[in-house]
Amino acid sequence: MAIPLSNGCTRLTLSPPARFRHQSTIFATLSPSRPDTVNWVEATSSFFDQDTRPIMLFDGVCNLCNGGVRFVRNVDRNRRIRFEALQSESGKKLLRRSGRGPDDISSVVLVEKDRSYIKSEAVLKIMEYLELPFPQLAFFLQFVPLFVRDFMYDNVANNRYSIFGYSDSCEI
């Protein structure tokens, strides 16, 4: 049973089954609804008005990430992917559209008109847009469990600056 209290909390009382005698009470703070909440999908829909190609968000100062962008540009001869640094204003808006914080530079993100991908899912989806043999490789890699792929992704991402270094500004 939920009982609203005057201090903005709600008291949840859980009735125990008949064989138990103890009663549990949990207090939870309810956040007031925020009328100023921005619908980031609508706020960033203009990114896909004239150009429906997906946007790859990357860490603009990471040498590994910049190398990845150069690689994708070289292999993507049909220019099916656009690029934006996570640190740019557009990148921050697209991060929010993807449900991430505007300062979260922990993962590559691929933003399509109707969906966003992060971590290893973003990498596999990017591979699907590239020339042969990358779509086929992505197909086989999808059978590796997500938690294994993301574990490997996180290990590289968390050590990318110490292994590959970083630059003072975005190269791309």
Side-chain angles (χ1 to χ4, degrees):
M1 171 185 246
I3 304 169
L5 301 176
S6 62
N7 63 357
C9 290
T10 299
R11 180 179 181 173
L12 301 174
T13 304
L14 304 175
S15 300
R19 64 177 183 238
F20 296 108
R21 295 179 185 217
H22 301 288
Q23 189 176 20
S24 300
T25 301
I26 301 171
F27 286 95
T29 303
L30 300 176
S31 300
S33 62
R34 294 178 25 190
D36 63 318
T37 301
V38 175
N39 181 339
W40 288 102
V41 174
E42 287 180 14
T44 56
S45 64
S46 63
F47 287 101
F48 297 98
D49 284 347
Q50 301 295 321
D51 191 348
T52 60
R53 295 178 298 161
I55 302 169
M56 177 180 165
L57 302 177
F58 65 99
D59 181 352
V61 297
C62 167
N63 289 339
L64 172 65
C65 305
N66 284 314
V69 169
R70 280 192 296 274
F71 175 79
V72 170
R73 276 191 172 167
N74 290 338
V75 176
D76 182 19
R77 293 185 202 114
N78 295 325
R79 301 291 182 239
R80 289 183 272 193
I81 298 177
R82 296 181 283 168
F83 305 93
E84 191 68 49
L86 289 164
Q87 293 90 340
S88 70
E89 286 306 311
S90 296
K92 290 178 182 184
K93 289 178 183 176
L94 289 166
L95 272 173
R96 295 190 96 171
R97 174 191 179 109
S98 304
R100 302 183 67 83
D103 296 323
D104 184 356
I105 60 169
S106 65
S107 172
V108 64
V109 180
L110 185 71
V111 183
E112 293 180 336
K113 184 175 184 174
D114 299 321
R115 183 163 180 205
S116 296
Y117 302 87
I118 62 166
K119 297 186 180 186
S120 66
E121 284 190 313
V123 173
L124 293 184
K125 193 65 178 176
I126 291 166
M127 291 170 71
E128 290 177 15
Y129 282 99
L130 302 179
E131 307 294 324
L132 293 176
F134 295 102
Q136 290 76 9
L137 183 58
F139 174 78
F140 287 110
L141 287 174
Q142 76 179 350
F143 294 111
V144 176
L146 179 64
F147 77 93
V148 173
R149 292 191 326 245
D150 280 349
F151 175 78
M152 293 174 12
Y153 181 95
D154 287 337
N155 279 317
V156 173
N158 292 337
N159 296 295
R160 67 187 186 269
Y161 292 143
S162 60
I163 297 171
F164 299 97
Y166 59 92
S167 57
D168 294 330
S169 63
C170 181
E171 297 177 19
I172 309 286

